[in-house]
Amino acid sequence: MSAFSNTNWDRRSVLRAAMGLAAAGGLAACGSNNGRGGGSGSGTNLVQYFHAYGEAGTEQAIKKYAAAYDKARVTTQWITGSNFESKLFSALLTDNAPDVFEFHPQIQLVKSGQVADLSDIINPVKDDFNQADIASHTIDGKIWGVRMIDDPQFFYYRKSMLEDAGIEPPATLDELVEAAAKLTTDKVKGVFLGNSVTPVMNPLIWSAGADTLDDKNQIAYHTDAVAEGLAKLRTMFKSGHMLLDAPADWWDPSALTQGLVAMQWCGMWAMPVIQKALGDDVGIIPFPSSADGAKPAVTNGGWSMFVNAKSKHLDEAKEYVKWLWIDQKEYQEDWSLSYGFHIPPRTSLAESADKLKSGLAAEGVKLFNEFGHFDNPAWTQAMIVALEGVIADSVRKGGNPEAALDKADKTVNRELKKLFG
Amino acid sequence: MSTTTTPGVAKSPAAAQTPSVPRRRGIRGRTLNFWLFTGPFLIGLVIFVYIPIGWSAYLSFFEARFTVTPSEFIGFDNYKYMLTNDKFVDSLVTFTVFAAIVVPITWALSLGLALLVHRIRFMKAFFRSVFFLPTAVSFVAASLIWKMSIFSGVRFGLMNTVLSWFGIDNIAWLANPDPPWYWLVIVTVRLWLQAGFYMILFLAALQNIPNELYEAAAIDGAKPGWQTFRYVTLPQLRATSTAVILLLLVAAYQAFDEFFNLLAKTTWGRPPLVELYYTALGENQDYGAGSAGAMILTLLICMVTLLQGRIMGFGRGEESK
């Protein structure tokens, strides 16, 4: 060190330079990408959160709509990664919370006062919405979110592969287990139910004649038929007939289009890509019936727009949501049909959607109407995670399904008690 | 400190220097300097460490869901819930298993690498850099490579391709916990990322062992190879080894990224930090229970660290040699 102290680099000037740099860095950080970036003074800045849609052009589309809005500057945070929920929920507690965000209707958002009542903007056009969507967004007589898209989820299968194996599309869970076995070769796996197998948990419950919760918000999923269904999924898992650890998970059609599987659980959003890759060699079926006399099932997922109740620009945020998701029908149509396929929740748009009126898309709409189950707002994220634990314990780990369901009951009951007393 | 030749001077180096440097400032100046230099660090410590710990302790006694400013006091209920919660207790077991595997393996591998690189006569700098380079890779990026290309479950995953040459079926490395191949994925990624760093520490220590010791050992009849390593090299590396093990344990405690990125929607393979993340920050947003868990964990870490200090004698200075 002694060599240094003799030079012109005295400590004070070094320190001063370092502090200057640090201060400049701090200032730079203030102006950096915090989602509220450099407003030029005119009007309000709004921030919206979207999870990363997989279809090409979606991010540009959302940003294009936002740019077309002239009453506020809207910044989009396009959240990549698989844990959108976590990022959204944590952000909602902070001052950097989004003003507007997409999510699914869940009652804890309402109970904890995190989302604003949107009844006044939806009520005038209430009759033009799919009534099931209105019902799933209504809590305590108020409507809390605007549905943007409805996304039915079902099985896609390769017609040629089923023909080669000499089988019909399965109509029961037993037939699915059998089909998976017959379709598995050394190059191709029988079915892909997602790397974690969790996307089929709800369809399994519904196709066994049960439900997540009953009308009184009590557990309805814990039945013998559901436990048996879990055991059958375990059979497929254990015998190596499922595709697992695929680089692209179930929401991406790659596994099917690359010929890794014969059947894949996926959503209607992937239909254009699948048809482009496979042409006519693809069909769709609902999750097959898994108990005597029970109907097959389709998950009617989707995304809705919510307004952060604690937003500093609450009225402006509501105004923006009304402008884009209620008034701007051409954007809504573009969003539903130009990238992936989604069913527009607006009846008038759904009726005029020619792309959904023929071929496989029309079949998808039929499955949606006939076998679809919509979101239950009382079925919250913590409960969803509890049932994901059931799949992990019983299907992947091979534990007793009854024990796994008992374990989930504890968590779900704790949640229900907190929500409904 | 090159001037401290005798123990007597070492005790008061400042006093030894006083005559040459005129005293310009009094006690007040020194105090000011003390705060000037430690201040920024202390402020950071208080804001980012002590306040959160305090807040966490406060939250742990409240029903705090979807809020960090709760109002409903519930006493020790959160603690009761976490301690009777199988998941939290399992996570402690997971950590113990993880540490028991990863600490000795990394220690042995990095020591082995250091010995090899130390011995090598050509391209020493090249090998040193090659082994050290992975340290610069982020855990998240490495996890993704491990998950999506090396240990992918499809037939064209690297490992599955290699196995298929020997006629072995595809293995679902991460999805299927039976047999628990996921440990292989998790341990190898951490090994690849860390071994190089600890290798450098060992290398530095190896270079500090005086050659005279080896000469003396050779004269005393110690055979080169194992005997010399066992009775000369290893004892000389004791201090470094202790430090490396301590650092490895701390790193294992902080393990989060690879578990979080490699294992999705499981009920197994969750060390405490991952479990607490899911409780407090994930979908549950149960800050009360999460904080209670964090407090329990803090207490455990304190106890283990104290115990470890007792056993390994780290930080006891001269006596430990």
Side-chain angles (χ1 to χ4, degrees):
Chain A
M1 289 305 281
S2 56
F4 255 107
S5 54
N6 289 334
T7 65
N8 289 330
W9 281 86
D10 68 288
R11 275 170 303 183
R12 249 171 292 166
S13 63
V14 170
L15 190 67
R16 216 176 290 142
M19 281 170 81
L21 271 179
L27 284 176
C30 288
S32 77
N33 184 19
N34 58 6
R36 293 178 188 269
S40 56
S42 68
T44 328
N45 285 324
L46 295 176
V47 177
Q48 58 177 355
Y49 269 25
F50 274 82
H51 86 284
Y53 285 75
E55 292 78 45
T58 42
E59 183 176 4
Q60 290 79 355
I62 284 294
K63 288 183 172 164
K64 182 183 81 187
Y65 310 150
Y69 186 58
D70 54 10
K71 288 190 192 152
R73 175 195 293 263
V74 183
T75 318
T76 305
Q77 296 258 317
W78 193 254
I79 314 262
T80 51
S82 55
N83 48 346
F84 177 69
E85 300 89 12
S86 312
K87 285 172 186 163
L88 171 68
F89 288 173
S90 326
L92 284 177
L93 295 173
T94 68
D95 281 344
N96 277 328
D99 304 288
V100 176
F101 59 90
E102 66 164 4
F103 199 58
H104 318 288
Q106 291 190 0
I107 197 168
Q108 86 280 8
L109 292 171
V110 175
K111 294 244 172 190
S112 56
Q114 286 180 321
V115 293
D117 174 14
L118 301 182
S119 308
D120 51 337
I121 64 170
I122 299 171
N123 273 334
V125 289
K126 196 174 157 185
D127 296 336
D128 190 32
F129 269 94
N130 186 326
Q131 288 312 300
D133 281 326
I134 293 292
S136 66
H137 291 69
T138 305
I139 294 162
D140 300 335
K142 293 172 186 159
I143 307 173
W144 300 90
V146 185
R147 195 62 153 181
M148 300 182 291
I149 43 177
D150 280 323
D151 291 326
Q153 295 162 25
F154 37 66
F155 275 114
Y156 290 89
Y157 64 92
R158 296 284 295 271
K159 286 180 179 166
S160 60
M161 288 185 181
L162 266 69
E163 263 168 41
D164 290 348
I167 48 173
E168 290 293 310
T172 65
L173 185 56
D174 288 320
E175 285 176 25
L176 178 70
V177 175
E178 210 179 306
K182 284 186 180 160
L183 290 165
T184 302
T185 67
D186 57 344
K187 291 265 183 256
V188 179
K189 292 282 185 186
V191 287
F192 184 37
L193 305 177
N195 284 334
S196 63
V197 199
T198 52
V200 295
M201 183 69 218
N202 277 14
L204 175 73
I205 292 171
W206 294 319
S207 72
D211 203 347
T212 48
L213 298 174
D214 62 15
D215 297 340
K216 289 177 205 130
N217 288 325
Q218 281 167 343
I219 289 174
Y221 59 79
H222 194 152
T223 66
D224 292 344
V226 171
E228 278 168 36
L230 288 167
K232 286 170 191 168
L233 291 182
R234 170 67 186 168
T235 313
M236 278 193 280
F237 184 94
K238 200 171 66 181
S239 17
H241 301 151
M242 282 186 193
L243 178 71
L244 295 166
D245 287 341
D249 212 344
W250 68 280
W251 56 80
D252 186 306
S254 301
L256 193 75
T257 57
Q258 291 174 354
L260 291 171
V261 280
M263 301 180 75
Q264 177 178 346
W265 184 261
C266 194
M268 182 127 151
W269 56 82
M271 199 176 270
V273 177
I274 294 178
Q275 283 185 305
K276 203 176 160 202
L278 303 175
D280 287 338
D281 185 19
V282 61
I284 53 172
I285 49 164
F287 192 92
S289 165
S290 52
D292 280 342
K295 263 172 75 170
V298 164
T299 305
N300 286 354
W303 292 90
S304 319
M305 217 64 221
F306 296 90
V307 171
N308 179 0
K310 288 168 191 147
S311 162
K312 288 181 197 97
H313 309 290
L314 185 60
D315 293 331
E316 292 90 335
K318 275 168 84 169
E319 190 59 34
Y320 171 65
V321 169
K322 177 178 182 296
W323 173 80
L324 181 52
W325 298 111
I326 289 180
D327 297 340
Q328 298 298 315
K329 284 206 167 179
E330 67 271 40
Y331 286 153
Q332 292 159 31
E333 190 177 10
D334 181 60
W335 184 237
S336 295
L337 301 169
S338 300
Y339 311 98
F341 279 174
H342 310 269
I343 299 176
R346 298 290 289 270
T347 321
S348 55
L349 278 178
E351 279 167 0
S352 66
D354 290 333
K355 284 185 183 170
L356 303 181
K357 279 190 179 150
S358 58
L360 203 60
E363 280 182 52
V365 175
K366 200 171 158 227
L367 293 184
F368 169 81
N369 289 324
E370 212 166 315
F371 302 115
H373 293 260
F374 284 82
D375 290 323
N376 176 356
W379 187 248
T380 62
Q381 201 65 32
M383 304 181 200
I384 294 170
V385 171
L387 287 201
E388 288 173 353
V390 171
I391 291 273
D393 282 343
S394 61
V395 179
R396 289 169 68 185
K397 213 175 186 180
N400 180 3
E402 275 299 332
L405 287 167
D406 284 339
K407 199 168 124 190
D409 288 353
K410 269 196 223 161
T411 315
V412 173
N413 276 328
R414 184 170 182 256
E415 291 303 310
L416 288 171
K417 196 161 167 262
K418 292 194 173 185
L419 288 169
F420 304 107
Chain B
M1 286 295 141
S2 53
T3 52
T4 56
T5 45
T6 59
V9 178
K11 269 179 198 159
S12 54
Q17 284 173 13
T18 325
S20 58
V21 181
R23 192 181 270 237
R24 279 183 302 185
R25 299 189 187 91
I27 292 294
R28 277 188 54 200
R30 269 198 213 169
T31 322
L32 185 73
N33 279 345
F34 172 77
W35 287 114
L36 193 69
F37 279 94
T38 56
F41 171 71
L42 276 178
I43 290 169
L45 195 70
V46 167
I47 292 179
F48 294 111
V49 177
Y50 293 128
I51 290 182
I53 290 180
W55 201 308
S56 201
Y58 168 79
L59 282 176
S60 67
F61 293 105
F62 284 82
E63 164 74 29
R65 283 163 62 86
F66 293 93
T67 175
V68 284
T69 49
S71 51
E72 195 188 336
F73 184 82
I74 53 166
F76 279 93
D77 278 8
N78 282 327
Y79 287 88
K80 240 183 266 162
Y81 172 68
M82 287 312 279
L83 285 173
T84 53
N85 181 350
D86 294 341
K87 285 182 182 172
F88 183 67
V89 179
D90 284 352
S91 76
L92 295 173
V93 176
T94 301
F95 161 73
T96 312
V97 173
F98 176 60
I101 303 174
V102 86
V103 171
I105 294 184
T106 318
W107 179 85
L109 185 79
S110 47
L111 178 59
L113 284 177
L115 288 169
L116 286 178
V117 173
H118 186 59
R119 269 289 182 92
I120 213 160
R121 285 174 200 285
F122 55 95
M123 290 168 74
K124 202 169 182 170
F126 170 77
F127 282 109
R128 206 168 45 203
S129 317
V130 160
F131 290 128
F132 182 68
L133 223 52
T135 307
V137 177
S138 97
F139 268 88
V140 177
S143 302
L144 288 179
I145 295 168
W146 251 246
K147 176 174 160 176
M148 295 169 109
S149 72
I150 300 179
F151 288 98
S152 143
V154 295
R155 59 169 191 267
F156 48 73
L158 181 63
M159 286 303 276
N160 279 342
T161 308
V162 172
L163 288 180
S164 70
W165 296 339
F166 303 96
I168 299 169
D169 278 345
N170 289 351
I171 292 175
W173 300 97
L174 294 164
N176 193 347
D178 179 34
W181 287 118
Y182 64 93
W183 278 120
L184 180 71
V185 186
I186 284 170
V187 170
T188 48
V189 71
R190 181 161 277 258
L191 212 54
W192 183 74
L193 285 163
Q194 285 195 332
F197 174 73
Y198 296 103
M199 175 200 76
I200 295 285
L201 296 188
F202 275 124
L203 209 54
L206 281 174
Q207 284 162 356
N208 268 341
I209 302 177
N211 229 358
E212 290 83 359
L213 283 176
Y214 290 105
E215 285 163 12
I219 290 167
D220 284 349
K223 294 187 197 84
W226 172 250
Q227 223 171 30
T228 311
F229 173 74
R230 169 70 186 81
Y231 293 103
V232 182
T233 314
L234 210 52
Q236 285 294 312
L237 291 178
R238 207 195 132 159
T240 311
S241 279
T242 314
V244 165
I245 288 173
L246 190 79
L247 288 173
L248 279 171
L249 268 177
V250 171
Y253 245 123
Q254 292 175 343
F256 178 86
D257 307 51
E258 71 265 48
F259 286 93
F260 185 75
N261 285 296
L262 290 172
L263 299 174
K265 309 199 166 174
T266 61
T267 51
W268 55 85
R270 289 182 177 185
L273 287 190
V274 176
E275 189 57 51
L276 290 178
Y277 172 84
Y278 282 119
T279 308
L281 299 171
E283 297 85 359
N284 292 305
Q285 299 279 298
D286 194 339
Y287 292 90
S291 300
M295 286 295 123
I296 298 169
L297 196 63
T298 311
L299 211 70
L300 276 175
I301 293 178
C302 287
M303 271 158 44
V304 170
T305 313
L306 287 177
L307 209 70
Q308 196 190 2
R310 271 281 147 96
I311 295 169
M312 309 226 291
F314 190 70
R316 234 185 276 158
E318 291 300 303
E319 306 135 60
S320 68
K321 288 182 190 164

